[in-house]
Amino acid sequence: MSFGRASRRRFTLFAATAVAGALTLSACGDGNKAQGGGNTNFITGSGGISTVAKGERPEAPKLRGESLEGKPLDLADYKGKVVVLNVWGSWCGPCRLEAKYFAQVSEETADQGVQFLGINTRDAERDPAVNFEKDYGITYPSFFDPIGKLILRFPKGTLNPQAIPSTVVVDREGRIAARTLQPLDAEQLHEMIAPIIAEK
């Protein structure tokens, strides 16, 4: 009987390790054509930022829910702006590393028609996430998405956020223009957003 329990424990540990490994691998690329199902039409640059040519961009999914403060939040309300969507969790080490840069760049680009939105995930309670935002000076709203339902609305084979943290940039017409599956500093974030801001 004890052997059965030990075997189950080993299997559970193996399964958890395999899932964690798959998540880590999903953030890795060879710096060339990005991998995904079907005709993805996106290219991953040497900095890990994948981009799509203007005429080939997929529509961003409908993202509607509540903010961390319990207020209604809808991506569609920001159509006409460049929207930077950052997937994060208060428990996530790399998210803590990039948070101050997101706070900084959100303020630096606000007058250029850029709106930052977070998608907070895997935080079972709102308080740790709210405290995280206070600690890092984040003033833009975040969706509260504890089980990742909003993340699953991104279709497979597109620039979907497959890791935590992930960042997706939506152009002014509501289409997915760029994505990265790694933490960013301020310079990288500006580099990712600037070409989309410059579009007319």
Side-chain angles (χ1 to χ4, degrees), residues 4 17 24-25 34 55 89-90 92 96 101 109 119 135 146 151 153 179 188:
T17 304
T24 302
L25 285 174
S90 68
C92 160
R96 288 193 286 275
Y101 301 119
T109 57
I119 302 177
D135 290 345
I151 297 167
R153 291 185 187 170
R179 178 203 66 185
Q188 293 166 320

Side-chain angles (χ1 to χ4, degrees), residues 59-65 73-85 115 117 119 143 154 170-171 174-176:
E59 287 287 324
K62 288 179 170 55
L63 300 180
R64 185 181 298 124
L73 190 56
D74 192 337
L75 174 61
D77 291 342
Y78 300 100
K79 196 163 183 181
K81 292 193 170 196
V82 173
V83 179
V84 180
L85 286 165
Q115 174 64 51
L117 293 175
I119 302 177
F143 289 98
F154 287 83
V170 178
D171 68 17
R175 299 173 305 176
I176 300 172

Side-chain angles (χ1 to χ4, degrees), residues 110-167:
D111 62 355
Q112 296 174 277
V114 178
Q115 174 64 51
F116 277 62
L117 293 175
I119 302 177
N120 170 256
T121 191
R122 293 200 204 160
D123 275 310
E125 303 291 333
R126 296 175 194 251
D127 285 351
V130 169
N131 290 333
F132 178 99
E133 289 192 329
K134 285 179 183 168
D135 290 345
Y136 292 99
I138 293 170
T139 56
Y140 54 84
S142 283
F143 289 98
F144 181 56
D145 188 31
I147 59 173
K149 284 178 12 180
L150 295 180
I151 297 167
L152 292 174
R153 291 185 187 170
F154 287 83
K156 289 181 181 176
T158 67
L159 296 182
N160 55 332
Q162 302 166 2
I164 303 166
S166 292
T167 301

